[in-house]
Amino acid sequence: MEDIAKIKQEIDRAENLEELDRIRRKYFGKKGSISFALRTLGTLKEEERRKQAPALQILKREIEEAVKQRSKNLAAKEADANLSGEWVDVSAPGRKVRSGHLHPLTRLQEKVNGVFSSLGFEVVEGPEIETEWYNFDALNIPKDHPARDMWDTFWLKPESEKLLLRTHTSPVQIRYMETHQPPFRIIAPGRVFRHEASDASHDIQFYQLEGLMVDKDISVANFKAVINEFFKALFEKDVKIRLRPSYFPFVEPGFEIDMKSASGWLEMMGAGMVHPNVFQAVGYNPANLALSGAEGWQGFAFGIGLDRIAMMKYKIDDIRLFYGGDVRFLKQF
Ligand code: FA5
């Protein structure tokens, strides 16, 4: 009985199933002591065997039972431990999913598109890589024209191919007119590139939005009405703007439009009445162009600096913030 108690204690101290198995083998394995005792029973004398056999059988049964019991307990314990690793606290606050959002310039562009769409303008697009013809020649800017100096250009290699990153969205005017007859009104938003020094209001890439309306009897008065409506709808209040005479080879007359801000006037766009040479370059019938007033095609064109508009709308003092990729800046929108 003393042995039984000792072995049972040993069994109860087994910390895991592996250890329990080792103990079991110690007594019941091939070389186990209980197995050995049972085997040697046969070699004992009759009388001795009768004396020892029942006690040995009890020992065997009790120990087997103890191992079985401990094994059950340990298995349940291990299952519990595994489960607790998978335990989920359903009352814990959820982890926030960080979602991104549209870039402020994209959002502004969508808004501007919406305003012009409501005024009946169709949205069209053109390529960012342009030919010399579309970017300059067709826009009445010949090779030796001093106006080419205004747009320092990124030329693509080989230079003989005369491909460039467009310096403005005006080439889209040409592409559209080549394939469409008036009357129409379009806008063409997109990215443009200039090889120039950057500062708080200039970058080497920025966004423009070209506008073009061609019809009969179109005048500067129509342009002023459209652009006033645009500023009012975008800024949701009356905005002070001014037209300043300026020069672009593809318009006549030409002007620039400034907007009043707390720190003074900021140039927002260039504009003017489409130059007859541009109509000619796209192949519009010269006979039609020669006619004036209600008989001939006339149009206005404009090119808005979208970044400048965004700077005004969101009160941003440095254009370079739009392109810096700083999440702290972008998260504010
Ligand atoms: C042009 O690019 C003309 N194509 C605009 C035009 C279209 C005139 C149709 C007449 C008819 P300009 O270089 O001024 O013009 O640029 C137009 C606008 O783009 C500017 O008023 C300004 O708001 C913006 N802009 C010009 N350069 C930069 C720059 N480096 N960084 C950011 N915005 C610029």
Side-chain angles (χ1 to χ4, degrees), residues 4 7 23 42 66 71 115 217 251 256 284 303:
I4 292 181
I7 298 171
I23 296 168
S71 168
V115 172
D217 214 10
V251 290
E256 275 170 319
Y284 283 177

Side-chain angles (χ1 to χ4, degrees), residues 151 168 170 173 194 196 201-203 206 208 210 248 250-251 256 267-272 301-305 308 319:
W151 294 286
H168 53 172
S170 298
Q173 288 186 33
R194 291 194 193 171
E196 59 182 28
S201 56
H202 294 82
D203 213 334
F206 55 99
Q208 282 191 344
E210 196 76 9
F248 300 95
F250 36 95
V251 290
E256 275 170 319
E267 181 201 317
M268 291 293 187
M269 58 199 283
F302 58 87
I304 304 177
R308 300 268 178 92
I319 189 173

Side-chain angles (χ1 to χ4, degrees), residues 177-178 181 278-286:
M177 286 194 282
E178 274 180 347
Q181 286 294 315
V278 174
F279 284 143
Q280 233 154 29
V282 298
Y284 283 177
N285 186 354

Side-chain angles (χ1 to χ4, degrees), residues 87-266:
W87 182 75
V88 178
D89 181 358
V90 290
S91 67
R95 248 182 250 145
K96 260 199 185 148
V97 177
R98 286 213 337 214
S99 61
H101 59 73
L102 293 178
H103 191 279
L105 284 177
T106 309
R107 286 181 46 189
L108 181 84
Q109 193 177 305
E110 286 183 353
K111 255 190 202 137
V112 173
N113 286 0
V115 172
F116 278 109
S117 295
S118 71
L119 292 171
F121 284 74
E122 186 193 343
V123 184
V124 302
E125 283 190 336
E128 289 178 357
I129 293 177
E130 265 301 1
T131 64
E132 195 179 22
W133 163 258
Y134 286 109
N135 199 82
F136 294 124
D137 300 271
L139 287 162
N140 200 30
I141 316 173
K143 207 168 256 60
D144 51 356
H145 199 291
R148 289 208 187 194
D149 297 341
M150 295 195 309
W151 294 286
D152 283 311
T153 309
F154 289 109
W155 291 96
L156 302 188
K157 284 180 180 161
E159 278 179 29
S160 57
E161 284 189 7
K162 298 288 180 200
L163 288 175
L164 52 97
L165 296 180
R166 66 177 176 189
T167 58
H168 53 172
T169 43
S170 298
V172 190
Q173 288 186 33
I174 306 297
R175 288 184 177 275
Y176 187 83
M177 286 194 282
E178 274 180 347
T179 52
H180 296 79
Q181 286 294 315
F184 58 75
R185 45 188 117 162
I186 54 160
I187 54 165
R191 192 151 53 141
V192 303
F193 309 83
R194 291 194 193 171
H195 189 241
E196 59 182 28
S198 64
D199 60 31
S201 56
H202 294 82
D203 213 334
I204 58 163
Q205 58 166 345
F206 55 99
Y207 284 82
Q208 282 191 344
L209 183 127
E210 196 76 9
L212 178 67
M213 178 170 183
V214 181
D215 204 333
K216 291 188 170 160
D217 214 10
I218 291 282
S219 73
V220 176
N222 298 108
F223 167 71
K224 278 181 75 175
V226 165
I227 223 62
N228 265 323
E229 203 50 46
F230 160 70
F231 275 104
K232 221 158 78 184
L234 193 69
F235 289 91
E236 290 157 4
K237 60 176 186 207
D238 276 326
V239 175
K240 260 216 158 98
I241 58 169
R242 71 175 183 196
L243 266 68
R244 203 162 27 82
S246 186
Y247 174 67
F248 300 95
F250 36 95
V251 290
E252 177 58 34
F255 24 84
E256 275 170 319
I257 290 88
D258 301 334
M259 181 179 164
K260 184 138 199 199
S261 74
S263 56
W265 294 97
L266 184 64

